[in-house]
Structures are given as C-alpha cells and as structure tokens.
C-alpha cells in the first residue's frame, strides 16, 4: 500500500523532495507543518526576523547579533547536542544545479524528454514505465562530479569539536560524507546515490555498474543477478533483468527506517541550526517543531520560512509565533540570518573564533578529495585500457562484458 499523499504535480522546491510520509509517525510524532508559506526574496542581509519577546515588544536583531548569540551558546558550553536540518541551499555553491530555474534548471533541460510533468522523473510508477529520463538526469546530479561546500565542512568542524548530535539532510548528493563527516552522523531523509537496488529481486547493485552505465552513458541500468527461473524446477537460473534504482526516495516510497528511528534524538537537542531549506515538505518540515520548547533555533536562509517567517505588518503577534516563544526565558528563541548558506557559516565561524581551524579543515578535505579523484581517474584509465584489450581478443560480447566486470571487481573500483 502506497503512502503517497497529495497531487503528484505539486511543485518541488528542494533539491529532491518526496511526498508526505506520515504513516511511519505516531500521532504524537505528527506535525502538519502548516506554517510554511512563500516569501519574497530580499537582496541584502541588512535585516533579520523581528520577533516579539515575552513582554509583547518587537525585538529587532541584526544578522551579527543572531550569529553572536549562537556562537556564545556553543563556546560557553550551553550547546553540546547540536542538530542540523539541511536543504538544497547548502549544495548550490558546489555547482549542483537547482530544479526550477528558468532556462538553466534541470526540469527545464528535461523538457526534450517529453515528460507529462517535470516531477514525473522522480515518480516511482513513471520510472517503472519510462526509466530513461531519470538516468538522463543522473548524469547531471551524480555526486562524483562535485566538491563539498564550506557549509558541508562546517559539519565536520562541529563534529571535531564534539558538539554535533546529528545532521538531518534532504539532499541526495552525499556531500556531507565527502566533506569527512562520518556516515553515522548523517540522516539522509530522502536517501542518496550511495547504494542502489533492483526493484524486482532487491539485490544490491555494484556502484561501479551504476557509474559506468547509468551515470556516464545515461543508460537504463538493469539487474544481472542470477535468480531462479520462474515456473521451472531444479537449479535452473536466469538473469533477473529488473530495473535498478539508486536508493533515493521517489514519490510513492517510504522514507528510510533510519529517519524514523533517530527522530527521538530531536528531544535531546539544545541548539537547532536550519540551513538552506524551504521547510515545506513533510515529514521533514515537522522536525523543526520536535525540539524542546526552550531550544534555541537559528535559520540561515535566503528567506524566512516556517516558524521563522515575518510577523504580520500590523505588528500584532500571530498565534503561530506565540507558540514558539520559550516560556522559560525572555530572550527570543528563534533567530534568522538572511543570505547564502556559506556566507552565514563563514561569519558564524568567525564569531566562534574557529576561522583558522576551519580553513585547515577545508584545505585538507579538498586536498584529500582531489587526490582521491585523481587516483580514481588513473585507475579508471587503466581499467578502460585492459577492457579494450580484452574486447579485441574476445568476439562474444556477453563474454567480453563478463570479463570487464571481473577486471573491475579485481581492481576494486
């Protein structure tokens, strides 16, 4: 039974946003996230979100004061279990194109594939019928092409300072891992390219096969796992031939079990950082309200979203804002810094006094990653040379492909 809800043509606003998946949440865990609305874009970061304090007075904060307050929470030891909610905005500076920009967005570029609607490329039913558009898209968004951003390296820095509890991300690009953050510190709410499985026999498919066929050539990847022949007795086996799909969450699929298993950690959070997300997709958007009622929350984003949105122009405190004020403190609970994710992180790091260490982390990370990519290219070149030599002496195509796979496995690509 599918747990997909809503119109499949509903616009996506994150790097990849699956449909609602509230079936895995108990009644206590659910949140309708109805406070998310669109907001106009501001070109400068001269203002932040004015909030009411508990005395019903408007309290205006400059961008620096918000970052200073957060840095003080960390350096004073008050914030030891920091959780981050991450969206598409932390990866755009890596060169990963967004989906909806006119003329340059990935959805625009997919028009030539004659999709019934742009989001169909991530619709499970459509993928089963026409997998070609997805693999065309995979050539553009496969994580092996990109480098982590300063925001990704900031996660690693927090982990090194032993103050990071967990990073929940909506992105499927695995750049958090490439930045050196251990996998166990990351919750990929919408899955990623890290693993792939056959939709028929559920066998895990070698990542090199995905890279060689699906990503480089944009070809549909099918399972070559041997399974028992249908309707036959004995040990007869045949190639499965089922469609292979990376473990990213398509519309109509459940979110990973890991996402639901780690939700209780939000109750332990003593500082929530929300960066580069629209907070419009459930159940991810509900996470912002699952931290303790007195937990400070900072949004770094180009526009205010969710509970960080501006109060009404009349100056009257909306009920939605009254609910998010801490009952234990006169200090405002929510803070908003307006601008690009990387710029906000650079300024926060400066307030923390970690700038030199931050540059070292980024420098080492980039150097190690460049070496890794360079070594992979050399090894790949050698494999291609060996494969060409094999194909020259082997006429049978199937046998040649089997030998190619054997060579690549031997070299552990």
């Amino acid at each position: 039974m599918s747990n997909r809800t809503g119109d499949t043509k509903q616009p996506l606003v994150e790097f990849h946003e699956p449909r609602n998946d509230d079936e895995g949440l108990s009644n206590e865990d659910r949140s309708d996230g109805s406070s998310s609305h669109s907001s106009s874009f501001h070109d400068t970061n001269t203002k932040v979100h004015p909030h009411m304090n508990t005395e019903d007075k408007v309290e205006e904060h400059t961008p620096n004061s918000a970052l200073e307050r957060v840095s003080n929470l960390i350096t004073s030891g008050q914030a030891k279990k920091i959780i981050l909610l991450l969206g598409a905005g932390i990866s755009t500076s890596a060169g990963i194109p967004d989906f909806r920009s006119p003329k340059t967005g990935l959805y625009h570029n997919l028009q030539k594939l004659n999709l019934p609607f742009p989001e169909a490329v991530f619709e499970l039913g459509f993928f089963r019928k026409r997998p070609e558009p997805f693999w065309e898209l995979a050539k553009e968004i496969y994580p092996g092409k990109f480098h982590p951003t300063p925001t990704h390296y900031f996660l690693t820095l927090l982990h090194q300072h032993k103050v990071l509890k967990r990073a929940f991300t909506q992105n499927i690009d695995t750049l958090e891992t490439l930045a050196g953050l251990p996998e166990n510190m990351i919750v990929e709410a919408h899955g990623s390219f890290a693993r792939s499985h056959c939709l028929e026999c559920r066998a895990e498919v070698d990542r090199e096969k995905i890279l060689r066929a699906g990503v480089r050539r944009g070809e549909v990847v099918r399972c070559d796992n041997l399974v028992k022949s249908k309707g036959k007795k004995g040990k007869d086996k045949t190639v499965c031939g089922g469609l292979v799909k990376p473990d990213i969450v398509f519309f109509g699929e459940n979110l990973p079990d890991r996402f639901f298993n780690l939700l209780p950690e939000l109750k332990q959070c003593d500082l929530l950082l929300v960066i580069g997300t629209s907070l419009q997709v459930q159940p991810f958007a509900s996470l912002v309200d699952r931290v303790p009622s007195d937990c400070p929350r900072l949004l770094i984003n180009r526009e205010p979203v969710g509970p960080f949105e501006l109060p009404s122009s009349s100056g009257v405190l909306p009920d939605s804002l009254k609910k998010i004020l801490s009952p234990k403190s006169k200090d405002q609970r929510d803070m908003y810094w307006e601008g690009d994710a990387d710029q906000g992180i650079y300024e926060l790091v400066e307030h923390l006094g970690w700038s030199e260490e931050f540059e070292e982390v980024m420098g080492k990370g980039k150097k190690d990653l460049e070496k890794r990519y360079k070594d992979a290219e050399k090894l790949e070149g050698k494999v291609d040379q060996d494969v060409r030599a094999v194909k020259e002496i082997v006429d049978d195509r199937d046998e040649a492909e089997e030998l190619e796979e054997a060579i690549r496995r031997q070299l552990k690509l």
Side-chain angles (χ1 to χ4, degrees), residues 240-251:
C240 173
L243 287 172
V244 172
K245 184 184 79 64
D247 291 354
I248 59 178
V249 179
F250 275 25
F251 304 142

Side-chain angles (χ1 to χ4, degrees), residues 44-100:
T44 67
N45 60 359
T46 57
K47 282 187 177 182
V48 294
H49 182 303
H51 252 317
M52 287 291 209
N53 60 21
T54 53
E55 296 177 345
D56 288 341
K57 295 179 181 179
V58 175
E59 190 172 337
E60 186 97 6
H61 281 252
T62 64
N64 285 343
S65 68
L67 298 180
E68 285 174 359
R69 182 184 172 200
V70 167
S71 68
N72 289 338
L73 290 172
I74 297 174
T75 56
S76 67
Q78 296 179 64
K80 298 179 180 179
K81 298 179 181 179
I82 302 173
I83 289 180
L84 291 99
L85 306 182
L86 308 170
I90 75 167
S91 293
T92 52
S93 65
I96 296 177
D98 62 26
F99 278 72
R100 295 192 166 276

Side-chain angles (χ1 to χ4, degrees), residues 106-269:
L106 291 172
Y107 283 152
H108 174 83
N109 296 335
L110 288 174
Q111 288 180 0
K112 61 181 180 291
L113 298 177
N114 193 29
L115 298 172
F117 50 93
E119 296 82 3
V121 71
F122 285 124
E123 211 284 322
L124 185 59
F126 182 81
F127 178 80
R128 289 182 180 277
K129 296 177 181 178
R130 285 184 56 198
E132 295 84 3
F134 170 80
W135 290 109
E136 182 70 22
L137 179 68
K139 290 194 298 184
E140 302 295 328
I141 64 176
Y142 188 77
K145 292 184 175 183
F146 305 102
H147 287 259
T149 69
T151 302
H152 290 105
Y153 284 110
F154 178 65
L155 305 178
T156 303
L157 188 59
L158 288 175
H159 177 63
Q160 291 180 358
H161 278 268
K162 303 184 186 305
V163 294
L164 178 64
K165 179 66 176 178
R166 201 77 61 183
F168 287 78
T169 181
Q170 293 171 279
N171 299 334
I172 62 176
D173 51 39
T174 71
L175 291 182
E176 297 88 359
T177 305
L178 291 179
L181 188 64
E183 289 187 12
N184 69 311
M185 298 301 297
I186 308 166
V187 179
E188 295 173 332
H190 297 166
S192 74
F193 277 95
R195 293 177 178 81
S196 300
H197 286 82
C198 171
L199 292 179
E200 299 301 322
C201 70
R202 300 306 305 165
E204 184 169 351
V205 179
D206 181 66
R207 189 168 182 170
E208 171 58 24
K209 180 179 178 67
I210 298 296
L211 177 63
R212 178 169 50 86
V215 176
R216 294 204 189 106
R217 300 200 291 257
E219 297 177 352
V220 175
V221 181
R222 292 191 175 275
C223 179
D224 56 7
N225 185 42
L226 293 178
V227 296
K228 290 183 179 180
S229 300
K230 294 181 180 180
K232 293 185 178 181
K233 297 181 179 181
K235 299 182 179 180
D236 292 339
K237 291 186 177 182
T238 184
V239 173
C240 173
L243 287 172
V244 172
K245 184 184 79 64
D247 291 354
I248 59 178
V249 179
F250 275 25
F251 304 142
E253 291 188 302
N254 295 330
L255 270 64
D257 290 341
R258 178 174 170 79
F259 172 82
F260 296 104
N261 292 339
L262 293 180
L263 286 181
E265 289 190 344
L266 288 155
K267 295 297 183 183
Q268 306 171 28
C269 178

Side-chain angles (χ1 to χ4, degrees), residues 177 237 272 308 353 366 411:
T177 305
K237 291 186 177 182
L272 184 70
F308 301 91
K366 292 176 181 178
L411 293 174

